[in-house]
Amino acid sequence: MHPRAAEFGERARERYDADVDVLEFDAGTETAAAAADALGCETGAIASTIIVSLSRGDDEARRGSGGRAPPDDLVAAITSGANRLDLDAVADHFGADAAEMGDPDRIREVVGWSIGGVPPVCHDAALPTVFDPTLTEYDTVYGAAGTPNAVFVVEPETLAGLADATVVDLTD
Protein backbone atom coordinates (compact mmCIF):
# COMPACT_ATOMS: atom_id res chain seq x y z
CA MET A 1 0.00 0.00 0.00
CA HIS A 2 1.21 3.50 -0.81
CA PRO A 3 2.59 5.19 2.35
CA ARG A 4 0.10 8.09 2.13
CA ALA A 5 -2.87 5.71 1.80
CA ALA A 6 -1.55 3.74 4.78
CA GLU A 7 -1.17 7.01 6.71
CA PHE A 8 -4.77 7.90 5.91
CA GLY A 9 -5.96 4.53 7.24
CA GLU A 10 -3.90 4.98 10.41
CA ARG A 11 -5.22 8.51 10.98
CA ALA A 12 -8.81 7.29 10.56
CA ARG A 13 -8.23 4.62 13.22
CA GLU A 14 -6.50 7.01 15.63
CA ARG A 15 -8.86 9.99 15.25
CA TYR A 16 -12.21 8.33 14.72
CA ASP A 17 -11.72 4.74 15.83
CA ALA A 18 -12.78 3.85 12.28
CA ASP A 19 -11.33 0.86 10.49
CA VAL A 20 -11.55 2.02 6.87
CA ASP A 21 -11.29 -0.24 3.86
CA VAL A 22 -8.75 1.45 1.54
CA LEU A 23 -8.79 0.30 -2.07
CA GLU A 24 -5.91 1.06 -4.44
CA PHE A 25 -5.97 1.03 -8.23
CA ASP A 26 -3.31 0.96 -10.93
CA ALA A 27 -5.15 3.63 -12.89
CA GLY A 28 -5.63 7.03 -11.26
CA THR A 29 -8.88 7.82 -9.49
CA GLU A 30 -8.27 11.55 -9.17
CA THR A 31 -11.48 12.45 -11.01
CA ALA A 32 -14.93 11.27 -10.03
CA ALA A 33 -15.46 9.66 -13.44
CA ALA A 34 -12.13 7.79 -13.26
CA ALA A 35 -12.89 6.60 -9.72
CA ALA A 36 -16.38 5.45 -10.71
CA ASP A 37 -14.95 3.55 -13.69
CA ALA A 38 -12.35 1.84 -11.49
CA LEU A 39 -14.94 0.93 -8.86
CA GLY A 40 -17.76 0.02 -11.22
CA CYS A 41 -20.19 2.38 -9.50
CA GLU A 42 -22.19 5.47 -10.43
CA THR A 43 -20.26 8.74 -10.57
CA GLY A 44 -22.73 10.10 -8.01
CA ALA A 45 -21.40 7.69 -5.37
CA ILE A 46 -17.98 9.34 -5.44
CA ALA A 47 -17.54 11.72 -2.51
CA SER A 48 -15.25 14.39 -3.96
CA THR A 49 -13.55 16.69 -1.47
CA ILE A 50 -13.03 20.21 -2.77
CA ILE A 51 -11.09 22.75 -0.75
CA VAL A 52 -12.34 26.28 -1.31
CA SER A 53 -10.69 29.59 -0.43
CA LEU A 54 -12.98 32.34 0.84
CA SER A 55 -12.41 36.07 0.38
CA ARG A 56 -13.71 38.53 2.92
CA GLY A 57 -13.78 42.30 2.70
CA ASP A 58 -12.22 43.45 5.97
CA ASP A 59 -10.75 42.20 9.24
CA GLU A 60 -14.12 42.18 11.01
CA ALA A 61 -15.67 40.11 8.22
CA ARG A 62 -12.67 37.73 8.30
CA ARG A 63 -13.64 36.71 11.82
CA GLY A 64 -17.04 35.60 10.51
CA SER A 65 -20.02 35.00 12.70
CA GLY A 66 -19.10 34.30 16.30
CA GLY A 67 -15.48 35.28 15.67
CA ARG A 68 -14.55 31.84 14.26
CA ALA A 69 -12.69 32.07 10.97
CA PRO A 70 -11.52 28.93 9.23
CA PRO A 71 -7.73 28.44 8.89
CA ASP A 72 -6.60 30.80 6.13
CA ASP A 73 -10.27 31.04 5.15
CA LEU A 74 -10.28 27.54 3.68
CA VAL A 75 -13.40 25.38 3.82
CA ALA A 76 -14.13 21.88 2.58
CA ALA A 77 -17.03 20.76 0.42
CA ILE A 78 -17.78 17.05 0.09
CA THR A 79 -19.82 16.73 -3.07
CA SER A 80 -21.27 13.96 -5.17
CA GLY A 81 -19.12 13.31 -8.23
CA ALA A 82 -22.25 13.82 -10.33
CA ASN A 83 -22.62 17.42 -9.15
CA ARG A 84 -20.70 20.64 -9.69
CA LEU A 85 -19.94 22.85 -6.69
CA ASP A 86 -21.46 26.35 -6.91
CA LEU A 87 -18.72 28.63 -5.57
CA ASP A 88 -21.12 31.58 -5.21
CA ALA A 89 -23.38 29.43 -3.02
CA VAL A 90 -20.34 28.43 -0.91
CA ALA A 91 -19.41 32.10 -0.44
CA ASP A 92 -23.00 32.95 0.55
CA HIS A 93 -23.24 30.01 2.96
CA PHE A 94 -20.07 31.06 4.79
CA GLY A 95 -20.77 34.80 4.67
CA ALA A 96 -17.84 35.55 2.37
CA ASP A 97 -17.57 38.05 -0.46
CA ALA A 98 -16.30 35.41 -2.90
CA ALA A 99 -15.05 31.84 -3.12
CA GLU A 100 -12.58 30.18 -5.45
CA MET A 101 -10.86 26.85 -5.75
CA GLY A 102 -8.08 26.60 -3.18
CA ASP A 103 -4.46 27.00 -4.21
CA PRO A 104 -2.82 23.54 -4.43
CA ASP A 105 0.26 24.59 -2.44
CA ARG A 106 -1.87 26.18 0.28
CA ILE A 107 -4.10 23.09 0.43
CA ARG A 108 -1.06 20.87 0.94
CA GLU A 109 0.32 23.22 3.60
CA VAL A 110 -2.90 23.65 5.61
CA VAL A 111 -4.85 20.46 4.96
CA GLY A 112 -1.87 18.12 4.66
CA TRP A 113 -2.96 16.36 1.47
CA SER A 114 -2.39 17.07 -2.22
CA ILE A 115 -5.21 17.73 -4.67
CA GLY A 116 -6.30 14.62 -6.50
CA GLY A 117 -6.09 12.65 -3.27
CA VAL A 118 -7.56 14.97 -0.61
CA PRO A 119 -9.69 12.81 1.67
CA PRO A 120 -12.90 14.17 3.21
CA VAL A 121 -11.52 13.58 6.74
CA CYS A 122 -8.14 13.33 8.53
CA HIS A 123 -6.97 16.84 7.66
CA ASP A 124 -4.11 18.57 9.50
CA ALA A 125 -6.40 21.52 10.29
CA ALA A 126 -10.08 21.40 11.16
CA LEU A 127 -12.02 23.04 8.34
CA PRO A 128 -15.68 24.01 8.31
CA THR A 129 -17.23 21.41 6.02
CA VAL A 130 -20.40 21.11 3.96
CA PHE A 131 -21.82 17.82 2.67
CA ASP A 132 -23.83 17.37 -0.53
CA PRO A 133 -27.20 15.73 0.31
CA THR A 134 -27.07 13.82 -3.01
CA LEU A 135 -24.54 11.49 -1.38
CA THR A 136 -27.18 10.32 1.11
CA GLU A 137 -29.04 8.65 -1.77
CA TYR A 138 -26.38 5.90 -1.83
CA ASP A 139 -25.83 3.03 0.59
CA THR A 140 -22.07 3.49 0.34
CA VAL A 141 -19.86 6.21 -1.08
CA TYR A 142 -16.17 6.37 -1.93
CA GLY A 143 -13.80 9.13 -0.85
CA ALA A 144 -10.15 9.76 -1.66
CA ALA A 145 -7.75 8.04 0.73
CA GLY A 146 -4.68 10.25 0.45
CA THR A 147 -3.42 9.52 -3.07
CA PRO A 148 -4.83 9.82 -6.60
CA ASN A 149 -5.00 5.99 -6.75
CA ALA A 150 -6.68 5.21 -3.42
CA VAL A 151 -10.26 5.44 -2.14
CA PHE A 152 -12.09 4.25 0.95
CA VAL A 153 -15.59 2.89 1.37
CA VAL A 154 -18.00 4.48 3.86
CA GLU A 155 -21.71 4.99 4.51
CA PRO A 156 -22.65 8.60 3.68
CA GLU A 157 -24.19 9.34 7.09
CA THR A 158 -21.04 8.03 8.79
CA LEU A 159 -18.89 10.19 6.53
CA ALA A 160 -20.91 13.34 7.26
CA GLY A 161 -20.57 12.63 10.98
CA LEU A 162 -16.82 11.97 10.84
CA ALA A 163 -16.32 15.18 8.86
CA ASP A 164 -18.54 17.13 11.29
CA ALA A 165 -20.20 18.41 8.13
CA THR A 166 -23.33 20.44 7.62
CA VAL A 167 -25.59 18.79 5.05
CA VAL A 168 -26.53 21.52 2.59
CA ASP A 169 -26.94 21.68 -1.17
CA LEU A 170 -24.35 24.07 -2.60
CA THR A 171 -24.22 22.57 -6.07
CA ASP A 172 -25.33 23.85 -9.49
Side-chain angles (χ1 to χ4, degrees):
M1 180 176 291
H2 189 282
R4 292 294 281 165
E7 179 183 350
F8 169 77
E10 185 177 317
R11 282 187 186 192
R13 279 188 295 284
E14 289 174 358
R15 291 186 187 179
Y16 308 109
D17 196 28
D19 189 21
V20 296
D21 186 15
V22 176
L23 308 171
E24 289 187 290
F25 298 91
D26 292 332
T29 57
E30 63 270 3
T31 67
D37 284 345
L39 290 159
C41 71
E42 293 181 33
T43 304
I46 303 301
S48 299
T49 303
I50 302 167
I51 306 299
V52 176
S53 178
L54 302 177
S55 299
R56 300 182 194 271
D58 58 32
D59 288 341
E60 182 65 27
R62 290 183 70 76
R63 285 195 290 278
S65 62
R68 179 178 169 241
D72 298 318
D73 285 337
L74 294 179
V75 297
I78 304 169
T79 64
S80 166
N83 293 336
R84 181 175 167 87
L85 186 63
D86 180 344
L87 292 173
D88 290 337
V90 173
D92 288 346
H93 178 78
F94 287 103
D97 293 332
E100 63 185 14
M101 301 299 281
D103 174 73
D105 291 333
R106 197 75 189 129
I107 292 169
R108 175 72 175 106
E109 179 183 328
V110 174
V111 179
W113 304 98
S114 297
I115 59 169
V118 176
V121 295
C122 299
H123 301 158
D124 287 351
L127 299 179
T129 303
V130 292
F131 190 87
D132 183 348
T134 302
L135 291 166
T136 64
E137 297 171 8
Y138 297 91
D139 293 332
T140 56
V141 296
Y142 305 87
T147 77
N149 295 7
V151 298
F152 73 105
V153 182
V154 64
E155 294 177 353
E157 293 80 9
T158 299
L159 179 55
L162 293 175
D164 193 24
T166 301
V167 178
V168 59
D169 187 2
L170 299 178
T171 61
D172 287 332

